[in-house]
PDB file of all heavy atoms in Angstrom:
ATOM      1  N   ASP A   1      18.421   4.713 -21.897  1.00 97.00           N
ATOM      2  CA  ASP A   1      18.214   3.756 -23.077  1.00 97.00           C
ATOM      3  C   ASP A   1      19.451   3.871 -23.982  1.00 97.00           C
ATOM      4  O   ASP A   1      19.725   4.997 -24.438  1.00 97.00           O
ATOM      5  CB  ASP A   1      16.918   4.065 -23.763  1.00 97.00           C
ATOM      6  CG  ASP A   1      16.615   3.148 -25.111  1.00 97.00           C
ATOM      7  OD1 ASP A   1      16.847   1.818 -24.801  1.00 97.00           O
ATOM      8  OD2 ASP A   1      16.498   3.574 -26.178  1.00 97.00           O
ATOM      9  N   GLN A   2      20.171   2.777 -24.099  1.00 97.00           N
ATOM     10  CA  GLN A   2      21.505   2.986 -24.853  1.00 97.00           C
ATOM     11  C   GLN A   2      21.236   3.280 -26.344  1.00 97.00           C
ATOM     12  O   GLN A   2      22.137   3.925 -26.958  1.00 97.00           O
ATOM     13  CB  GLN A   2      22.351   1.716 -24.665  1.00 97.00           C
ATOM     14  CG  GLN A   2      22.844   1.610 -23.292  1.00 97.00           C
ATOM     15  CD  GLN A   2      23.691   0.403 -22.959  1.00 97.00           C
ATOM     16  OE1 GLN A   2      23.707  -0.555 -23.787  1.00 97.00           O
ATOM     17  NE2 GLN A   2      24.279   0.380 -21.868  1.00 97.00           N
ATOM     18  N   LYS A   3      20.150   2.842 -27.016  1.00 96.00           N
ATOM     19  CA  LYS A   3      19.954   3.084 -28.339  1.00 96.00           C
ATOM     20  C   LYS A   3      19.675   4.566 -28.707  1.00 96.00           C
ATOM     21  O   LYS A   3      20.151   5.189 -29.604  1.00 96.00           O
ATOM     22  CB  LYS A   3      18.810   2.184 -28.862  1.00 96.00           C
ATOM     23  CG  LYS A   3      18.737   2.166 -30.365  1.00 96.00           C
ATOM     24  CD  LYS A   3      17.628   1.154 -30.842  1.00 96.00           C
ATOM     25  CE  LYS A   3      17.516   1.189 -32.279  1.00 96.00           C
ATOM     26  NZ  LYS A   3      16.455   0.213 -32.659  1.00 96.00           N
ATOM     27  N   SER A   4      18.723   5.142 -27.788  1.00 96.00           N
ATOM     28  CA  SER A   4      18.313   6.574 -28.154  1.00 96.00           C
ATOM     29  C   SER A   4      18.904   7.562 -27.329  1.00 96.00           C
ATOM     30  O   SER A   4      18.928   8.725 -27.673  1.00 96.00           O
ATOM     31  CB  SER A   4      16.731   6.485 -27.985  1.00 96.00           C
ATOM     32  OG  SER A   4      16.395   6.518 -26.617  1.00 96.00           O
ATOM     33  N   GLY A   5      19.448   7.155 -26.167  1.00 96.00           N
ATOM     34  CA  GLY A   5      20.012   8.104 -25.232  1.00 96.00           C
ATOM     35  C   GLY A   5      19.051   8.762 -24.379  1.00 96.00           C
ATOM     36  O   GLY A   5      19.276   9.659 -23.473  1.00 96.00           O
ATOM     37  N   ALA A   6      17.678   8.294 -24.361  1.00 97.00           N
ATOM     38  CA  ALA A   6      16.645   8.907 -23.627  1.00 97.00           C
ATOM     39  C   ALA A   6      16.912   8.561 -22.026  1.00 97.00           C
ATOM     40  O   ALA A   6      17.416   7.414 -21.827  1.00 97.00           O
ATOM     41  CB  ALA A   6      15.231   8.416 -24.063  1.00 97.00           C
ATOM     42  N   LYS A   7      16.578   9.469 -21.154  1.00 97.00           N
ATOM     43  CA  LYS A   7      16.914   9.277 -19.803  1.00 97.00           C
ATOM     44  C   LYS A   7      15.557   9.208 -19.053  1.00 97.00           C
ATOM     45  O   LYS A   7      14.563   9.921 -19.327  1.00 97.00           O
ATOM     46  CB  LYS A   7      17.706  10.551 -19.391  1.00 97.00           C
ATOM     47  CG  LYS A   7      18.042  10.644 -17.930  1.00 97.00           C
ATOM     48  CD  LYS A   7      18.875  11.881 -17.832  1.00 97.00           C
ATOM     49  CE  LYS A   7      18.906  12.330 -16.372  1.00 97.00           C
ATOM     50  NZ  LYS A   7      19.694  13.553 -16.103  1.00 97.00           N
ATOM     51  N   PHE A   8      15.464   8.308 -18.204  1.00 97.00           N
ATOM     52  CA  PHE A   8      14.286   8.083 -17.377  1.00 97.00           C
ATOM     53  C   PHE A   8      14.492   8.187 -15.834  1.00 97.00           C
ATOM     54  O   PHE A   8      15.524   7.619 -15.439  1.00 97.00           O
ATOM     55  CB  PHE A   8      13.661   6.613 -17.664  1.00 97.00           C
ATOM     56  CG  PHE A   8      13.358   6.568 -19.080  1.00 97.00           C
ATOM     57  CD1 PHE A   8      14.369   6.059 -20.086  1.00 97.00           C
ATOM     58  CD2 PHE A   8      12.135   6.889 -19.666  1.00 97.00           C
ATOM     59  CE1 PHE A   8      14.076   5.910 -21.468  1.00 97.00           C
ATOM     60  CE2 PHE A   8      11.789   6.702 -21.031  1.00 97.00           C
ATOM     61  CZ  PHE A   8      12.786   6.207 -21.789  1.00 97.00           C
ATOM     62  N   ILE A   9      13.696   8.910 -15.181  1.00 96.00           N
ATOM     63  CA  ILE A   9      13.975   9.069 -13.723  1.00 96.00           C
ATOM     64  C   ILE A   9      13.112   8.218 -12.878  1.00 96.00           C
ATOM     65  O   ILE A   9      12.262   7.512 -13.330  1.00 96.00           O
ATOM     66  CB  ILE A   9      13.648  10.596 -13.327  1.00 96.00           C
ATOM     67  CG1 ILE A   9      12.230  10.861 -13.586  1.00 96.00           C
ATOM     68  CG2 ILE A   9      14.574  11.578 -14.161  1.00 96.00           C
ATOM     69  CD1 ILE A   9      11.738  12.224 -13.045  1.00 96.00           C
ATOM     70  N   VAL A  10      13.322   8.318 -11.543  1.00 96.00           N
ATOM     71  CA  VAL A  10      12.571   7.672 -10.501  1.00 96.00           C
ATOM     72  C   VAL A  10      11.429   8.585 -10.145  1.00 96.00           C
ATOM     73  O   VAL A  10      11.608   9.586  -9.642  1.00 96.00           O
ATOM     74  CB  VAL A  10      13.546   7.396  -9.171  1.00 96.00           C
ATOM     75  CG1 VAL A  10      12.706   6.743  -8.155  1.00 96.00           C
ATOM     76  CG2 VAL A  10      14.715   6.413  -9.500  1.00 96.00           C
ATOM     77  N   PRO A  11      10.212   8.087 -10.210  1.00 94.00           N
ATOM     78  CA  PRO A  11       9.069   8.820  -9.963  1.00 94.00           C
ATOM     79  C   PRO A  11       8.977   9.114  -8.483  1.00 94.00           C
ATOM     80  O   PRO A  11       9.535   8.256  -7.618  1.00 94.00           O
ATOM     81  CB  PRO A  11       7.761   7.994 -10.330  1.00 94.00           C
ATOM     82  CG  PRO A  11       8.299   6.857 -11.158  1.00 94.00           C
ATOM     83  CD  PRO A  11       9.855   6.736 -11.002  1.00 94.00           C
ATOM     84  N   SER A  12       8.386  10.242  -8.106  1.00 90.00           N
ATOM     85  CA  SER A  12       8.360  10.543  -6.692  1.00 90.00           C
ATOM     86  C   SER A  12       6.954  11.091  -6.280  1.00 90.00           C
ATOM     87  O   SER A  12       6.776  12.444  -6.179  1.00 90.00           O
ATOM     88  CB  SER A  12       9.450  11.578  -6.205  1.00 90.00           C
ATOM     89  OG  SER A  12       9.523  11.818  -4.966  1.00 90.00           O
ATOM     90  N   PRO A  13       6.037  10.322  -6.185  1.00 90.00           N
ATOM     91  CA  PRO A  13       4.701  10.700  -5.859  1.00 90.00           C
ATOM     92  C   PRO A  13       4.657  11.424  -4.473  1.00 90.00           C
ATOM     93  O   PRO A  13       5.389  11.040  -3.589  1.00 90.00           O
ATOM     94  CB  PRO A  13       3.808   9.489  -5.747  1.00 90.00           C
ATOM     95  CG  PRO A  13       4.693   8.358  -6.387  1.00 90.00           C
ATOM     96  CD  PRO A  13       5.995   8.702  -6.298  1.00 90.00           C
ATOM     97  N   PRO A  14       3.922  12.442  -4.306  1.00 88.00           N
ATOM     98  CA  PRO A  14       3.878  13.198  -3.119  1.00 88.00           C
ATOM     99  C   PRO A  14       3.685  12.513  -1.764  1.00 88.00           C
ATOM    100  O   PRO A  14       4.368  12.714  -0.930  1.00 88.00           O
ATOM    101  CB  PRO A  14       2.710  14.367  -3.314  1.00 88.00           C
ATOM    102  CG  PRO A  14       2.384  14.329  -4.660  1.00 88.00           C
ATOM    103  CD  PRO A  14       2.835  12.913  -5.360  1.00 88.00           C
ATOM    104  N   LYS A  15       2.730  11.669  -1.799  1.00 82.00           N
ATOM    105  CA  LYS A  15       2.465  10.818  -0.515  1.00 82.00           C
ATOM    106  C   LYS A  15       3.423   9.886  -0.220  1.00 82.00           C
ATOM    107  O   LYS A  15       3.621   9.395   0.938  1.00 82.00           O
ATOM    108  CB  LYS A  15       1.051  10.336  -0.471  1.00 82.00           C
ATOM    109  CG  LYS A  15      -0.084  11.535  -0.319  1.00 82.00           C
ATOM    110  CD  LYS A  15      -1.352  11.001  -0.182  1.00 82.00           C
ATOM    111  CE  LYS A  15      -2.306  12.080  -0.243  1.00 82.00           C
ATOM    112  NZ  LYS A  15      -3.747  11.577   0.222  1.00 82.00           N
ATOM    113  N   VAL A  16       3.978   9.135  -1.231  1.00 80.00           N
ATOM    114  CA  VAL A  16       4.734   8.028  -1.126  1.00 80.00           C
ATOM    115  C   VAL A  16       6.252   8.263  -1.020  1.00 80.00           C
ATOM    116  O   VAL A  16       7.041   7.686  -0.347  1.00 80.00           O
ATOM    117  CB  VAL A  16       4.561   7.001  -2.231  1.00 80.00           C
ATOM    118  CG1 VAL A  16       5.372   5.752  -2.129  1.00 80.00           C
ATOM    119  CG2 VAL A  16       3.069   6.544  -2.356  1.00 80.00           C
ATOM    120  N   GLY A  17       6.776   9.324  -1.929  1.00 81.00           N
ATOM    121  CA  GLY A  17       8.081   9.648  -2.001  1.00 81.00           C
ATOM    122  C   GLY A  17       8.692   8.791  -3.141  1.00 81.00           C
ATOM    123  O   GLY A  17       8.089   8.245  -3.916  1.00 81.00           O
ATOM    124  N   ALA A  18       9.979   8.929  -3.298  1.00 86.00           N
ATOM    125  CA  ALA A  18      10.707   8.305  -4.381  1.00 86.00           C
ATOM    126  C   ALA A  18      10.508   6.793  -4.390  1.00 86.00           C
ATOM    127  O   ALA A  18      10.635   6.222  -3.231  1.00 86.00           O
ATOM    128  CB  ALA A  18      12.259   8.591  -4.301  1.00 86.00           C
ATOM    129  N   LEU A  19      10.298   6.092  -5.491  1.00 88.00           N
ATOM    130  CA  LEU A  19      10.026   4.774  -5.611  1.00 88.00           C
ATOM    131  C   LEU A  19      11.419   3.982  -5.634  1.00 88.00           C
ATOM    132  O   LEU A  19      11.690   3.338  -6.686  1.00 88.00           O
ATOM    133  CB  LEU A  19       9.258   4.454  -6.835  1.00 88.00           C
ATOM    134  CG  LEU A  19       7.860   5.019  -6.751  1.00 88.00           C
ATOM    135  CD1 LEU A  19       7.078   4.661  -8.183  1.00 88.00           C
ATOM    136  CD2 LEU A  19       7.133   4.768  -5.613  1.00 88.00           C
ATOM    137  N   ARG A  20      12.132   4.061  -4.460  1.00 87.00           N
ATOM    138  CA  ARG A  20      13.398   3.338  -4.336  1.00 87.00           C
ATOM    139  C   ARG A  20      13.648   3.102  -2.839  1.00 87.00           C
ATOM    140  O   ARG A  20      13.042   3.833  -1.989  1.00 87.00           O
ATOM    141  CB  ARG A  20      14.614   4.118  -4.989  1.00 87.00           C
ATOM    142  CG  ARG A  20      14.859   5.419  -4.200  1.00 87.00           C
ATOM    143  CD  ARG A  20      15.803   6.246  -4.859  1.00 87.00           C
ATOM    144  NE  ARG A  20      17.212   5.762  -4.438  1.00 87.00           N
ATOM    145  CZ  ARG A  20      18.236   6.604  -4.174  1.00 87.00           C
ATOM    146  NH1 ARG A  20      18.125   7.862  -4.422  1.00 87.00           N
ATOM    147  NH2 ARG A  20      19.373   6.085  -3.690  1.00 87.00           N
ATOM    148  N   THR A  21      14.461   2.080  -2.528  1.00 80.00           N
ATOM    149  CA  THR A  21      14.783   1.878  -1.175  1.00 80.00           C
ATOM    150  C   THR A  21      15.895   2.871  -0.711  1.00 80.00           C
ATOM    151  O   THR A  21      16.915   2.945  -1.278  1.00 80.00           O
ATOM    152  CB  THR A  21      15.296   0.399  -1.036  1.00 80.00           C
ATOM    153  OG1 THR A  21      14.400  -0.438  -1.594  1.00 80.00           O
ATOM    154  CG2 THR A  21      15.400   0.020   0.312  1.00 80.00           C
ATOM    155  N   THR A  22      15.563   3.456   0.397  1.00 76.00           N
ATOM    156  CA  THR A  22      16.628   4.391   1.054  1.00 76.00           C
ATOM    157  C   THR A  22      16.812   4.139   2.559  1.00 76.00           C
ATOM    158  O   THR A  22      17.475   4.985   3.163  1.00 76.00           O
ATOM    159  CB  THR A  22      16.420   5.863   0.769  1.00 76.00           C
ATOM    160  OG1 THR A  22      14.976   6.139   1.276  1.00 76.00           O
ATOM    161  CG2 THR A  22      16.485   6.196  -0.643  1.00 76.00           C
ATOM    162  N   ASN A  23      16.188   3.132   3.094  1.00 78.00           N
ATOM    163  CA  ASN A  23      16.295   2.872   4.549  1.00 78.00           C
ATOM    164  C   ASN A  23      17.588   2.133   4.794  1.00 78.00           C
ATOM    165  O   ASN A  23      18.469   1.940   3.972  1.00 78.00           O
ATOM    166  CB  ASN A  23      14.980   2.135   5.047  1.00 78.00           C
ATOM    167  CG  ASN A  23      14.688   0.906   4.195  1.00 78.00           C
ATOM    168  OD1 ASN A  23      15.328   0.623   3.237  1.00 78.00           O
ATOM    169  ND2 ASN A  23      13.738   0.180   4.629  1.00 78.00           N
ATOM    170  N   GLN A  24      17.744   1.649   5.917  1.00 83.00           N
ATOM    171  CA  GLN A  24      18.886   0.970   6.558  1.00 83.00           C
ATOM    172  C   GLN A  24      19.318  -0.187   5.588  1.00 83.00           C
ATOM    173  O   GLN A  24      18.529  -1.063   5.168  1.00 83.00           O
ATOM    174  CB  GLN A  24      18.809   0.532   7.996  1.00 83.00           C
ATOM    175  CG  GLN A  24      18.979   1.562   8.946  1.00 83.00           C
ATOM    176  CD  GLN A  24      19.208   1.029  10.291  1.00 83.00           C
ATOM    177  OE1 GLN A  24      18.649   0.055  10.687  1.00 83.00           O
ATOM    178  NE2 GLN A  24      19.979   1.750  11.106  1.00 83.00           N
ATOM    179  N   ILE A  25      20.645  -0.300   5.471  1.00 90.00           N
ATOM    180  CA  ILE A  25      21.218  -1.368   4.415  1.00 90.00           C
ATOM    181  C   ILE A  25      21.656  -2.515   5.246  1.00 90.00           C
ATOM    182  O   ILE A  25      22.275  -2.463   6.241  1.00 90.00           O
ATOM    183  CB  ILE A  25      22.419  -0.753   3.726  1.00 90.00           C
ATOM    184  CG1 ILE A  25      22.119   0.611   3.201  1.00 90.00           C
ATOM    185  CG2 ILE A  25      22.986  -1.661   2.673  1.00 90.00           C
ATOM    186  CD1 ILE A  25      23.324   1.365   3.140  1.00 90.00           C
ATOM    187  N   GLN A  26      21.273  -3.675   4.749  1.00 92.00           N
ATOM    188  CA  GLN A  26      21.699  -5.021   5.326  1.00 92.00           C
ATOM    189  C   GLN A  26      22.282  -5.873   4.292  1.00 92.00           C
ATOM    190  O   GLN A  26      21.763  -5.930   3.171  1.00 92.00           O
ATOM    191  CB  GLN A  26      20.614  -5.663   5.999  1.00 92.00           C
ATOM    192  CG  GLN A  26      20.013  -4.992   7.125  1.00 92.00           C
ATOM    193  CD  GLN A  26      18.831  -5.692   7.919  1.00 92.00           C
ATOM    194  OE1 GLN A  26      18.553  -6.819   7.477  1.00 92.00           O
ATOM    195  NE2 GLN A  26      18.358  -4.998   8.919  1.00 92.00           N
ATOM    196  N   ALA A  27      23.262  -6.551   4.508  1.00 93.00           N
ATOM    197  CA  ALA A  27      24.037  -7.511   3.583  1.00 93.00           C
ATOM    198  C   ALA A  27      23.105  -8.641   3.363  1.00 93.00           C
ATOM    199  O   ALA A  27      22.223  -9.050   4.057  1.00 93.00           O
ATOM    200  CB  ALA A  27      25.391  -8.012   4.149  1.00 93.00           C
ATOM    201  N   ASN A  28      23.221  -9.128   2.103  1.00 94.00           N
ATOM    202  CA  ASN A  28      22.410 -10.410   1.720  1.00 94.00           C
ATOM    203  C   ASN A  28      20.880 -10.070   1.646  1.00 94.00           C
ATOM    204  O   ASN A  28      20.089 -10.978   1.767  1.00 94.00           O
ATOM    205  CB  ASN A  28      22.704 -11.626   2.584  1.00 94.00           C
ATOM    206  CG  ASN A  28      24.070 -12.035   2.444  1.00 94.00           C
ATOM    207  OD1 ASN A  28      24.587 -12.057   1.352  1.00 94.00           O
ATOM    208  ND2 ASN A  28      24.708 -12.367   3.599  1.00 94.00           N
ATOM    209  N   ARG A  29      20.533  -8.805   1.312  1.00 95.00           N
ATOM    210  CA  ARG A  29      19.130  -8.431   1.021  1.00 95.00           C
ATOM    211  C   ARG A  29      19.010  -7.840  -0.330  1.00 95.00           C
ATOM    212  O   ARG A  29      19.919  -7.147  -0.827  1.00 95.00           O
ATOM    213  CB  ARG A  29      18.615  -7.385   2.022  1.00 95.00           C
ATOM    214  CG  ARG A  29      18.267  -8.068   3.423  1.00 95.00           C
ATOM    215  CD  ARG A  29      17.230  -7.206   3.930  1.00 95.00           C
ATOM    216  NE  ARG A  29      16.637  -8.014   5.025  1.00 95.00           N
ATOM    217  CZ  ARG A  29      15.722  -7.477   5.924  1.00 95.00           C
ATOM    218  NH1 ARG A  29      15.467  -6.290   5.798  1.00 95.00           N
ATOM    219  NH2 ARG A  29      15.264  -8.275   6.750  1.00 95.00           N
ATOM    220  N   THR A  30      17.818  -8.011  -0.835  1.00 95.00           N
ATOM    221  CA  THR A  30      17.633  -7.468  -2.265  1.00 95.00           C
ATOM    222  C   THR A  30      16.885  -6.198  -2.084  1.00 95.00           C
ATOM    223  O   THR A  30      15.898  -5.949  -1.356  1.00 95.00           O
ATOM    224  CB  THR A  30      16.747  -8.395  -3.163  1.00 95.00           C
ATOM    225  OG1 THR A  30      17.599  -9.685  -3.285  1.00 95.00           O
ATOM    226  CG2 THR A  30      16.589  -7.854  -4.501  1.00 95.00           C
TER     227      THR A  30
END
């Protein structure tokens, strides 16, 4: 957060893992 400088991480629940995409990359995909 630019106003306060507070830092927020990516949650990583035990059964699901990090809530972000880390599989194979393809162009023109979101």
Side-chain angles (χ1 to χ4, degrees):
D1 178 50
Q2 291 181 348
K3 188 175 181 181
S4 69
K7 180 176 160 181
F8 301 87
I9 64 168
V10 176
S12 187
K15 289 187 179 184
V16 179
L19 299 179
R20 66 181 276 215
T21 310
T22 54
N23 49 353
Q24 283 198 320
I25 313 152
Q26 294 181 4
N28 297 317
R29 281 215 162 164
T30 300

